[in-house]
Amino acid sequence: MRVADLSIRLYMPSAAMADLYAGRLGGAVKTNAGADDLHFHLAEPSAVGNPDAANFAYYQSLGPDFERLAGESGLIGIVGRPDPYNNPTEPCTLFNPRTGVGVQWVTSLADLPPWDAGSPFRLLIHWATAQRGLRMMHAGSLVSGRRSMLLVGGGGSGKSGTTLAGVASGLQTLGDDYVVVTADPVPRVHRVHQLLKQDPAGIKRVLGPRELETPLVLNWQGKVEIDPELHFRGCMAESADVVALVLPRIARADQTTFEPLRAQDLFHHAAASMWQQLPGAQKSGFMFATALTRRVPTWRMNLSSDPFEIGRAVRRFLDSGVP
């Protein structure tokens, strides 16, 4: 499969997990051999016959030294810190930028954190694309033709709801959670995952009450995860030019409006989305976000209560270049 024009081969512990993760990366499972840019493994110690290969208690005991030791070995790595309440933490994740090989080690598949399947291999994709001058961002996206807007902001700001509203109105998307962006020479955004996440109320508002006739499976955040292509065929785009960085605001207005926003104000509100949330390469992430906000116009979008009116407003904005 391809993400941000990089070919990725997955090595998974079961066919079922291969289907799930490949589908959420927007690809089908292919077994043919060939040259690939990246090789990602999800593995248990039994996969290599070494019970000590994923001794997480030891890795976690290293604290910040784990990342330092990985760096001294030419690797990028992270391991979740121990949680006193036994909440899930990040698996042990290592990436070799020279070979493009990455691995997520878990003691058992049952130890995978609940968010992993919702954004497969996000850290490995983040590190791999950063090595190539791109940047993964936590952002929603909407596309009309070749022009796109990125929806940035903290949780609950309306990114996912606006993305679903736009898709339901005939726009395309590159995702509502993580995307990969390049700043030079023309800012461009690429799809990472083929998945939208929305709370049940948002699903009912956009897709209608029939979607709630059968019990919904909620993820760890209480949201429904849907493959948008099952509801809106052809809605997933692969890449598009970035013409606006938009900070949505749930205003419940009669009509959706756009107003210019100073780049530093958007940067302040959206720092976690743009570069702080993903570990590793923090300094380069700050520099990337600064360059992006200088190159792309920044806006605030005051949202109405009507998802289809929101979709029409976004289309007018993207097609005309002005609200």
Side-chain angles (χ1 to χ4, degrees):
M1 64 202 60
R2 300 192 72 82
V3 171
D5 208 30
L6 295 172
S7 176
I8 303 175
R9 180 169 293 273
L10 305 184
Y11 302 82
M12 307 295 291
S14 72
M17 292 198 70
D19 286 333
L20 175 64
Y21 277 54
R24 293 189 165 189
L25 284 165
V29 175
K30 298 179 181 179
T31 57
N32 60 298
D36 296 290
D37 300 301
L38 304 168
H39 297 258
F40 292 167
H41 301 253
L42 177 60
E44 300 171 296
S46 59
V48 293
N50 183 357
D52 296 323
N55 186 340
F56 294 109
Y58 171 69
Y59 294 157
Q60 291 177 328
S61 72
L62 294 173
D65 284 340
F66 178 86
E67 297 174 32
R68 178 183 61 78
L69 292 170
E72 290 175 357
S73 301
L75 306 175
I76 306 171
I78 190 171
V79 63
R81 301 291 186 259
D83 185 277
Y85 302 102
N86 292 319
N87 291 318
T89 61
E90 290 289 349
C92 175
T93 306
L94 288 164
F95 178 67
N96 186 331
R98 298 185 305 278
T99 63
V101 174
V103 61
Q104 284 187 195
W105 282 111
V106 288
T107 305
S108 74
L109 296 180
D111 294 325
L112 275 172
W115 56 83
D116 196 73
S119 50
F121 296 111
R122 80 188 195 290
L123 290 180
L124 293 177
I125 294 171
H126 163 53
W127 292 333
T129 52
Q131 294 294 315
R132 292 163 170 79
L134 293 86
R135 190 73 190 180
M136 181 179 275
M137 287 176 52
H138 178 55
S141 59
L142 285 169
V143 182
S144 181
R146 298 178 59 184
R147 296 162 57 85
S148 73
M149 65 167 58
L150 292 182
L151 304 163
V152 299
S157 61
K159 299 187 298 296
S160 293
T162 302
T163 301
L164 183 58
V167 168
S169 302
L171 296 169
Q172 289 185 296
T173 183
L174 300 125
D176 72 343
D177 198 3
Y178 292 102
V179 293
V180 167
V181 182
T182 177
D184 288 320
V186 176
R188 195 162 177 81
V189 57
H190 303 267
R191 176 193 62 77
V192 178
H193 301 115
Q194 186 168 304
L195 196 69
L196 298 184
K197 302 169 184 176
Q198 185 58 248
D199 58 64
I203 294 290
K204 181 179 180 179
R205 194 164 48 243
V206 174
L207 299 182
R210 276 187 291 181
E211 291 298 323
L212 302 179
E213 289 178 356
T214 56
L216 296 175
V217 178
L218 303 181
N219 70 4
W220 64 286
Q221 294 175 307
K223 293 186 176 183
V224 183
E225 297 179 349
I226 64 170
D227 180 345
E229 286 285 341
L230 297 179
H231 298 273
F232 311 102
R233 187 162 296 279
C235 71
M236 292 299 304
E238 287 299 314
S239 62
D241 294 336
V242 181
V243 299
L245 298 174
V246 176
L247 182 70
R249 183 174 76 91
I250 300 176
R252 296 183 174 85
D254 293 332
Q255 190 172 16
T256 298
T257 58
F258 292 82
E259 57 184 272
L261 183 68
R262 295 190 309 168
Q264 55 264 44
D265 291 337
L266 180 137
F267 193 93
H268 171 73
H269 287 288
S273 291
M274 299 181 71
W275 61 279
Q276 289 179 351
Q277 193 176 71
L278 291 160
Q282 293 280 302
K283 181 179 179 180
S284 64
F286 175 86
M287 295 174 64
F288 184 95
T290 301
L292 187 65
T293 54
R294 287 174 176 169
R295 288 179 171 85
V296 180
T298 52
W299 300 84
R300 185 191 303 277
M301 177 167 52
N302 303 300
L303 299 169
S304 75
S305 300
D306 181 350
F308 298 99
E309 189 278 333
I310 293 172
R312 293 191 297 270
V314 171
R315 182 183 292 278
R316 287 195 301 271
F317 179 91
L318 289 174
D319 289 350
S320 66
V322 293

